Amino acid sequence: TLLGKLFGIGHPFANTLGGLLYIAVACSALGGCYGIMFSNNWNLHMLAKNGHLFFSKFFSTLNKNHVPFACIIAEGVLGISYLAITGGNQLPLQQISGLGSVLTYTFSIVALVLAIARKKTDTVSIWIPCLAIINCFFLMGMCVRNFFISGMIPLIAFASLLGFGILMFWKSK
């Protein structure tokens, strides 16, 4: 839209530049996906190596090429399960990712509030975390609203994975 406004709709330069921008975005997305796919199996391997998973010995084993093959298989099973359950719909994955980010943000803000309450930091005004907590309530509300609109399957999947992770961590301690 911006290129159409700047150069006029249908201008050859605007079309070429728009195509290059689409290619750049696609390359960035593919690079990000590769990075996530590559790092997830190593994250799972490190959790197993530290004894935080069921069957830690199995998941911490490397093959002759020094690759955690069991972690790759587990990642593939999770990916195929997601595709089978959702039919390849990306919306549930985006909603789960958004909820995970909101929870991480909320935990960070709670830690900041606790640090201020314990007087471990005096460089941050109390107003910043208070505004951030209000933001957390708003973001959490939007996540819950979107789950009600599009269906509860992403929320159930997120809660199941979170519960399973907590169970593994609790059992390993």
Side-chain angles (χ1 to χ4, degrees):
T1 303
L2 177 64
L3 293 174
K5 296 276 187 195
L6 289 175
F7 299 105
I9 296 175
H11 190 275
F13 181 72
N15 291 340
T16 302
L17 186 58
L20 288 174
L21 289 174
Y22 282 129
I23 289 171
V25 168
C27 288
S28 175
L30 288 174
C33 289
Y34 174 77
I36 290 169
M37 294 292 285
F38 182 76
S39 65
N40 277 345
N41 38 346
W42 285 105
N43 289 339
L44 186 62
H45 172 73
M46 288 308 294
L47 285 170
K49 199 170 179 180
N50 291 322
H52 296 305
L53 299 178
F54 295 145
F55 311 109
S56 288
K57 186 171 174 67
F58 177 67
F59 284 110
S60 63
T61 304
L62 301 175
N63 68 5
K64 67 178 181 170
N65 297 315
H66 303 286
V67 175
F69 67 94
C71 298
I72 293 173
I73 291 170
E75 185 178 0
V77 167
L78 281 173
I80 290 170
S81 299
Y82 170 79
L83 290 173
I85 291 170
T86 65
N89 186 2
Q90 294 179 3
L91 185 62
L93 188 60
Q94 292 168 352
Q95 289 178 325
I96 292 171
S97 175
L99 180 61
S101 297
V102 168
L103 286 174
T104 302
Y105 177 62
T106 303
F107 292 148
S108 298
I109 296 305
V110 168
L112 179 60
V113 168
L114 291 174
I116 291 173
R118 292 183 181 144
K119 304 286 187 214
K120 290 190 176 181
T121 181
D122 52 352
T123 59
V124 178
S125 168
I126 191 67
W127 290 104
I128 293 172
C130 289
L131 292 173
I133 287 177
I134 293 169
N135 187 30
C136 289
F137 283 125
F138 174 74
L139 291 172
M140 198 66 71
M142 294 307 293
C143 285
V144 171
R145 176 186 168 271
N146 288 335
F147 285 127
F148 278 112
I149 290 172
S150 64
M152 291 298 210
I153 290 177
L155 185 60
I156 293 167
F158 181 82
S160 300
L161 287 173
L162 184 64
F164 187 66
I166 290 170
L167 178 68
M168 280 195 299
F169 186 76
W170 180 68
K171 284 288 191 179
S172 70
K173 292 291 177 188

